[in-house]
Amino acid sequence: MVQPVVLLSAICFITVALGSEESCYLTEEQEDDCAAVCHPIVKPLLRYFEKIQAKESQFQKENSELQKKLQQKGLESLRNYSDLQKKYSDLQESYSDLRNRKVIEVENLKSQIGSKNVEIKFLKDKISELNKTNELATKILRDDIAKLREIVKNKTSNNGTASPLPTRTVQQQAPPSKAIPDRCPQSQNETEIIQEIQIPGSDPFKVVCYSDEEIGSGWLIVYNHWDKTNYFNRTYEEFERGIGDVGTQWDDNYFIGLERLHLLTSRNSYELRMNPYKCDSFIVGNQSEGYMVKDTKGCTGGILPNLRQVKFSTWDRDEDGYPDRSLAKEIGYGWWIEPRIAVFFFNPFFGLSY
């Protein structure tokens, strides 16, 4: 029977061609019959399998290349995203720096404008004072001219000849018989009194003498600053000779002057009270020393001793120790401004006693 053998051979041949592990054992005659019958059938199948394997290989290759391209695109996108993040961070930092610089510039401009406004007000006050002085001088001059004309008119004698004008004699006032004290009284009934004193090297001047049960009598108030206006935003020369009118009202603003303060503290050992600070000794230098706080001893309060070796500073004479700032302009008035911590004392009582 030829057909079963041929079919069996074909099946074995296909099995061998497909790589099966099973094997068929045929005779030579069977193999010849199988080859004659199966070859036309198996050959197209083998070609078909070869095409499938070629397409599968091509597909795998294209898939591998596509994966590589996708990976490259992903890495490139990641790098671009990282670059964008860095650029955004740089922009934020640049914007922050620019904003900070602009804020500083605006604050500096505000400070400069404030200083200029203070200077303008000071100049306006000076102009107003000069105008008042000029008006008073003009009025006096006019009165003197009117008096001279009246004298000339009254003294005109016959023939229209004017008599010589009388000469004015000035009598010197006799010095007061009572000597002016050089300090506040050691006892007084009132809490505050106004008294005229005179210390060596200075003309007589009025001061407020203070007394209470807690600290006793003999206190001379040298500085009274109650409000927060720009009343004390004065020149160095004004602080040197004194500011304001001495008074016993709580809101009177005055300062006896740096020169008088120097003369007071340099001749005797004075106790200083600047609530709540107190020193057993307080000495202010002379003009050539910038009215420096030369010595403080026995101080309590913790901050006041830092004023040692500090010069007095104003808006027009910056001696606070900061080369790029003017602390007197910033706080709005002259003071001994400690260079390291910029201490300023705003106290209603600044008095000396010995």
Side-chain angles (χ1 to χ4, degrees), residues 98-116:
L98 180 61
R99 183 179 60 184
N100 292 336
R101 286 198 300 271
K102 291 300 180 183
V103 169
I104 293 173
E105 290 177 3
V106 170
E107 292 298 327
N108 290 335
L109 287 175
K110 286 182 179 179
S111 178
Q112 292 175 9
I113 291 171
S115 300
K116 292 299 180 183

Side-chain angles (χ1 to χ4, degrees), residues 113-303:
I113 291 171
S115 300
K116 292 299 180 183
N117 288 336
V118 170
E119 294 178 12
I120 290 171
K121 187 180 183 305
F122 172 74
L123 292 175
K124 285 182 178 179
D125 293 341
K126 281 295 184 183
I127 292 172
S128 178
E129 292 177 4
L130 290 174
N131 288 335
K132 291 179 181 179
T133 304
N134 185 41
E135 290 176 1
L136 180 61
T138 302
K139 185 177 181 303
I140 293 174
L141 181 60
R142 288 175 180 174
D143 293 343
D144 288 343
I145 292 174
K147 289 178 181 179
L148 287 173
R149 286 176 178 173
E150 188 67 24
I151 292 173
V152 171
K153 181 178 179 181
N154 293 335
K155 294 297 183 178
T156 302
S157 58
N158 296 332
N159 300 327
T161 304
S163 303
L165 294 176
T167 58
R168 179 180 295 179
T169 58
V170 179
Q171 294 183 353
Q172 295 183 352
Q173 294 182 353
S177 57
K178 185 178 180 180
I180 301 176
D182 63 351
R183 68 184 71 183
C184 285
Q186 298 303 303
S187 64
Q188 62 188 57
N189 296 326
E190 297 85 356
T191 302
E192 291 183 347
I193 62 172
I194 296 178
Q195 178 171 310
E196 187 176 45
I197 67 172
Q198 184 175 16
I199 54 179
S202 174
D203 56 340
F205 60 98
K206 292 182 180 180
V207 297
V208 174
C209 297
Y210 182 86
S211 173
D212 70 12
E213 295 180 355
E214 182 180 354
I215 62 175
S217 300
W219 288 94
L220 185 156
I221 300 179
V222 298
Y223 180 90
N224 199 58
H225 185 176
W226 277 93
D227 55 32
K228 294 183 180 180
T229 65
N230 60 353
Y231 184 82
F232 281 92
N233 195 19
R234 305 298 186 98
T235 63
Y236 194 89
E237 183 180 354
E238 287 178 293
F239 272 101
E240 191 172 28
R241 66 172 181 264
I243 297 172
D245 297 323
V246 172
T248 59
Q249 298 297 320
W250 65 271
D251 56 350
D252 288 329
N253 289 303
Y254 59 85
F255 176 52
I256 67 169
L258 292 167
E259 184 62 26
R260 289 170 179 166
L261 188 59
H262 158 66
L263 294 173
L264 274 171
T265 59
S266 61
R267 57 190 292 264
N268 287 300
S269 178
Y270 273 82
E271 182 180 354
L272 166 72
R273 275 188 179 270
M274 186 185 298
N275 293 337
Y277 310 101
K278 182 175 77 69
C279 288
D280 296 334
S281 177
F282 181 78
I283 299 176
V284 176
N286 57 26
Q287 182 185 45
S288 63
E289 295 169 318
Y291 297 106
M292 177 190 298
V293 180
K294 297 176 63 177
D295 190 23
T296 55
K297 294 179 181 177
C299 294
T300 58
I303 299 178

Side-chain angles (χ1 to χ4, degrees), residues 329-353:
K329 284 185 178 181
E330 293 179 16
I331 65 176
Y333 29 75
W335 192 255
W336 295 276
I337 306 171
E338 207 284 325
R340 291 168 295 174
I341 56 177
V343 172
F344 176 74
F345 298 95
F346 180 79
N347 291 282
F349 186 91
F350 182 177
L352 300 172
S353 177

Side-chain angles (χ1 to χ4, degrees), residues 5 8-10 12-13 24-31 34:
V5 174
L8 179 63
S9 299
C12 290
F13 185 82
C24 294
Y25 299 95
L26 304 174
T27 63
E28 291 181 358
E29 183 180 357
Q30 289 175 336
E31 287 179 356
C34 180

